[in-house]
Amino acid sequence: MNQTTSPVLPQGAGLGATLRRDLWWLGPAATAVGLLAFVIYSTWAALQGTNFWAGPYISPFYSPELFGDGPHAWFGPKPTWWPGALPFSPALLVLWAPGGFRLTCYYYRKAYYRSIWLDPVACAVGEARSSFRGENSFPLIWQNIHRYFMYLAVLFIAFLSYDAVRSYCWETHANGTPVAGGGHVFGMGLGSLVLTLNPLFLASYTFGCHSLRHLVGGKKDCFSCTASSRTRYQAWRFVSALNRHHQLWAWVSLFMVGFSDIYVRLVAAGTWPDIRFF
Ligand code: FES
């Protein structure tokens, strides 16, 4: 007679209880440190309202600068309708869009559910809660807004690509001061490279989005039936290739967008001299 035994799962009851002996906590801990460091820095940087542009460079946290005192502002200085009691920073007008996109990203959800909410913290590790309502009810049902943030995020790739091109357009100067009515010359500094890499990495993250993958390839029974289906198939393959490394691009682009702000900020403050190649 065959005897079957039930497998014993290495999971105990209560938060963190487990029979696992590996370093299961290392991944969630490192993720928490990385995410919290970015959130704290980006919040601080967004509230400064200063040192966010230097010559043709503008920090991606502040782009597009809709209103502001710098030369990058689209619609002039701080609007009169802005509540006087609130501190003004051009970043506050735009940063909610890429911030919301990241906050609701499928990868980041997994990352902060595990590392910050500890729910669940890791496989076969006990959690504090015994019930699970998922993302089908309030408040997490709001995560479904991600697909709409995706449209905005694609738009921001266009804005930041424009900033990258503009970072090669330097004002003509006479004795170190801009010439009145003067034009621009083609030039390149280290900041130009930084601001070029930034939208490239962000695009690699954005165009690997799960929602975008569904948009271009979902609800399709036949990829080879019509010309438009075949075009969608190629688009789906492209998005899928990036999607396979979505976690990597999420971190690379997060680091690069933070570094881009730091670079422009240090140049604007005079702390770090930009290296001008020509
Ligand atoms: Fe990560 Fe959409 S799922 S950006």
Side-chain angles (χ1 to χ4, degrees):
M1 190 174 105
N2 286 335
Q3 282 194 334
T4 56
T5 54
S6 301
V8 178
L9 292 177
Q11 176 172 345
L15 181 61
T18 184
L19 298 178
R20 287 179 63 171
R21 292 291 172 259
D22 61 333
L23 299 178
W24 60 265
W25 50 269
L26 197 54
T31 304
V33 169
L35 291 180
L36 289 175
F38 182 82
V39 168
I40 291 169
Y41 173 75
S42 58
T43 304
W44 174 84
L47 291 173
Q48 296 310 298
T50 57
N51 291 333
F52 60 87
W53 66 272
Y57 305 153
I58 181 169
S59 160
F61 288 173
Y62 285 74
S63 181
E65 184 189 1
L66 299 178
F67 297 96
D69 297 326
H72 297 265
W74 287 14
F75 304 117
K78 172 185 164 184
T80 50
W81 47 259
W82 187 262
L86 286 182
F88 178 74
S89 165
L92 300 179
L93 296 173
V94 293
L95 207 51
W96 57 270
F101 182 58
R102 294 229 177 219
L103 189 71
T104 56
C105 161
Y106 287 78
Y107 163 66
Y108 282 113
R109 286 187 222 176
K110 182 187 88 169
Y112 63 76
Y113 287 173
R114 289 187 179 181
S115 65
I116 295 177
W117 294 1
L118 309 177
D119 188 13
V121 64
C123 292
V125 177
E127 52 192 290
R129 217 159 37 92
S130 57
S131 63
F132 179 65
R133 289 183 299 160
E135 295 175 337
N136 291 321
S137 54
F138 184 82
L140 292 185
I141 198 169
W142 279 100
Q143 300 279 32
N144 290 301
I145 205 173
H146 181 68
R147 71 197 70 168
Y148 302 109
F149 276 122
M150 183 264 294
Y151 297 124
L152 292 173
V154 170
L155 205 56
F156 272 71
I157 297 297
F159 295 146
L160 296 178
S161 300
Y162 169 77
D163 292 342
V165 171
R166 191 171 173 184
S167 72
Y168 294 86
C169 301
W170 295 76
E171 281 184 339
T172 47
H173 285 65
N175 302 325
T177 52
V179 178
H184 290 79
V185 292
F186 177 68
M188 187 171 90
L190 185 56
S192 311
L193 292 179
V194 170
L195 294 183
T196 301
L197 284 177
N198 182 50
L200 281 176
F201 290 168
L202 282 171
S204 300
Y205 166 64
T206 302
F207 292 124
C209 171
H210 292 70
S211 293
L212 183 62
R213 186 167 179 262
H214 175 72
L215 184 73
V216 299
K219 294 185 179 172
K220 207 70 192 150
D221 291 331
C222 176
F223 266 142
S224 59
C225 299
T226 62
S228 76
S229 302
R230 287 189 285 276
T231 304
R232 283 183 62 176
Y233 175 61
Q234 294 306 327
W236 176 82
R237 284 189 54 182
F238 173 74
V239 174
S240 298
L242 291 171
N243 182 267
R244 275 193 283 279
H245 306 287
H246 195 50
Q247 173 175 333
L248 174 70
W249 288 120
W251 282 104
V252 169
S253 61
L254 192 77
F255 171 81
M256 196 63 201
V257 75
F259 179 74
S260 301
D261 178 85
I262 292 171
Y263 189 92
V264 173
R265 189 166 295 283
L266 292 182
V267 171
T271 312
W272 169 265
D274 182 42
I275 300 171
R276 180 83 181 265
F277 300 122
F278 58 86

